[in-house]
Amino acid sequence: MLEKRVNEVERFYLTTGSPQLTNSKGSSIVKDKQLNLLKKQQQDASRREVTATKRMQELMRQFASIFRQITQHEWAWPFKEPVDVESLGLHDYYQVIEKPMDFGTIKNKMEAKDGTAYKNVREIYADVRLVFKNAMKYNDDKDDVHVMAKTLLEKFEEKWLKLLPKVVEEEKRRVDEEAEARLHTKLAQEAAYASMAKDLSTELVEIDLYLKDLREMVVQKCRKMSSGDKRKLGTALTHLSPDDLSKALEIVAQNNPSFQPSAQEVDLDIDAQSECTLWRLKVFVKEALKVQGKSSEGIAGNKVTASKRNREISDAVPKTNAKRTKKLSCL
């Protein structure tokens, strides 16, 4: 469970901005504080949407006034209903006009209650323009319908320009509100994961202390390591690979702040080590030698000296281009 939570925090900071707050089973993010935060964000978003919808509805109401003025003009009658292609014999109409449009269709969509209504004022504006553009495209310049459409389009654009600043202001306001909402969400996520990371740090420290106490307790229950065992351990250390030797010296350094495990030549006083360190070393060395393919008896039976081992490793360096190997002397 702890590992899962650590991985979750790590993923967030590796992909900042991309992850979402999760509520998967076992996630420490799902706490009352975070849930309340998410709930508040959702409520704020709903309020912003309701307020923005009301503002847009007011703009659409003002646009409806413009629309009525245009549709009530004496020259608006050719555009009130869909073009009757059959009765007028306009057999090529749909080849010329890709998207037919008329005032009646626009009015029905403005008043629709089934979810098909216009969402914003620019959608209505585009369809009104399309009515006139279609008429001008299909009819010749000197045709009455073309002239009527061009005249009404000019009047319509003139009225639209008076409303446009309010439309632009509302659009900018929506963009700013959405950007602010995204920022708040990002900050909330960062705060949630920062809190989670802090809690994890505290838990990890507590676990480290618990493991340290547990190691001490285990060592107390183990027999004290004899001088012979210590000599065997010192000999076994010289059989470790360079990487494993470095790991073993790190174990020593954990309980010996003054010990320098990274030095090129290291003198290790086996007798000066605590029982906890000695037993940890013995377990580590035994497992490491198994991995190296040596028998478990190697700790007790091998008599290869440290100087010979170091000489063999040193001789191998120029041939294999291996890293320079640490020299270990066990006192």
Side-chain angles (χ1 to χ4, degrees), residues 135-148:
M136 294 165 64
K137 181 178 182 180
Y138 188 78
N139 298 277
D140 293 334
D141 293 356
K142 295 182 180 180
D143 191 279
D144 288 345
V145 174
H146 183 106
V147 174
M148 295 163 74

Side-chain angles (χ1 to χ4, degrees), residues 100-264:
M101 187 55 62
D102 63 275
F103 293 156
T105 299
I106 294 173
K107 185 174 184 296
N108 290 337
K109 192 171 180 180
M110 288 174 67
E111 298 173 351
K113 305 296 184 183
D114 60 356
T116 61
Y118 291 108
K119 299 296 188 295
N120 62 70
V121 72
R122 281 193 185 271
E123 292 181 352
I124 319 175
Y125 164 74
D127 276 355
V128 173
R129 286 189 86 250
L130 184 61
V131 172
F132 300 129
K133 288 293 184 180
N134 284 349
M136 294 165 64
K137 181 178 182 180
Y138 188 78
N139 298 277
D140 293 334
D141 293 356
K142 295 182 180 180
D143 191 279
D144 288 345
V145 174
H146 183 106
V147 174
M148 295 163 74
K150 184 177 180 180
T151 300
L152 289 178
L153 177 59
E154 291 173 353
K155 291 181 178 296
F156 170 68
E157 292 286 12
E158 183 181 337
K159 295 178 182 298
W160 165 254
L161 286 175
K162 295 178 181 179
L163 181 63
L164 185 57
K166 294 181 180 179
V167 176
V168 172
E169 181 183 357
E170 173 58 23
E171 290 171 340
K172 183 179 183 302
R173 185 171 180 178
R174 286 294 295 268
V175 171
D176 291 344
E177 287 179 349
E178 290 173 2
E180 184 180 4
R182 286 194 297 271
L183 177 61
H184 286 168
T185 299
K186 182 173 181 286
L187 293 175
Q189 282 185 326
E190 291 176 352
Y193 277 98
S195 175
M196 183 179 178
K198 183 178 179 181
D199 292 344
L200 282 171
S201 178
T202 301
E203 289 184 57
L204 289 171
V205 169
E206 292 174 352
I207 289 175
D208 281 343
L209 292 174
Y210 172 76
L211 290 175
K212 182 178 180 181
D213 292 342
L214 188 61
R215 281 196 296 267
E216 294 293 341
M217 183 180 70
V218 170
V219 169
Q220 288 175 8
K221 293 183 179 293
C222 292
R223 65 176 176 80
K224 207 171 181 183
M225 192 173 287
S226 66
S227 298
D229 287 337
K230 292 179 182 178
R231 285 195 301 275
K232 292 175 184 178
L233 177 58
T235 301
L237 284 168
T238 66
H239 294 286
L240 293 176
S241 68
D243 285 343
D244 285 338
L245 179 59
S246 293
K247 293 176 183 177
L249 294 178
E250 288 294 339
I251 293 176
V252 175
Q254 288 176 12
N255 288 330
N256 295 273
S258 61
F259 184 73
Q260 299 295 325
S262 58
Q264 191 58 38

Side-chain angles (χ1 to χ4, degrees), residues 13-64:
Y13 286 108
L14 287 175
T15 58
T16 299
S18 64
Q20 298 295 319
L21 292 177
T22 62
N23 60 356
S24 57
K25 185 176 180 181
S27 171
S28 68
I29 291 183
V30 185
K31 297 178 179 179
D32 290 341
K33 182 178 179 180
Q34 279 72 40
L35 287 175
N36 290 335
L37 185 59
L38 285 173
K39 186 176 180 181
K40 183 178 183 301
Q41 288 178 337
Q42 292 170 349
Q43 291 172 344
D44 290 344
S46 296
R47 282 194 292 269
R48 282 194 303 271
E49 187 61 31
V50 169
T51 303
T53 299
K54 288 180 178 179
R55 294 196 305 265
M56 182 55 69
Q57 287 174 344
E58 173 58 24
L59 287 174
M60 293 174 76
R61 187 191 65 77
Q62 295 178 40
F63 186 90

Side-chain angles (χ1 to χ4, degrees), residues 223 225 229 232-241 244-245 247-248 251 277-302:
R223 65 176 176 80
M225 192 173 287
D229 287 337
K232 292 175 184 178
L233 177 58
T235 301
L237 284 168
T238 66
H239 294 286
L240 293 176
S241 68
D244 285 338
L245 179 59
K247 293 176 183 177
I251 293 176
T277 299
L278 291 173
W279 281 102
R280 288 182 65 196
L281 279 174
K282 182 172 182 178
V283 172
F284 173 79
V285 170
K286 183 176 180 180
E287 292 301 318
L289 291 179
K290 279 185 180 180
V291 173
Q292 290 176 203
K294 297 182 180 295
S295 69
S296 59
E297 321 303 318
I299 293 180
N302 263 320

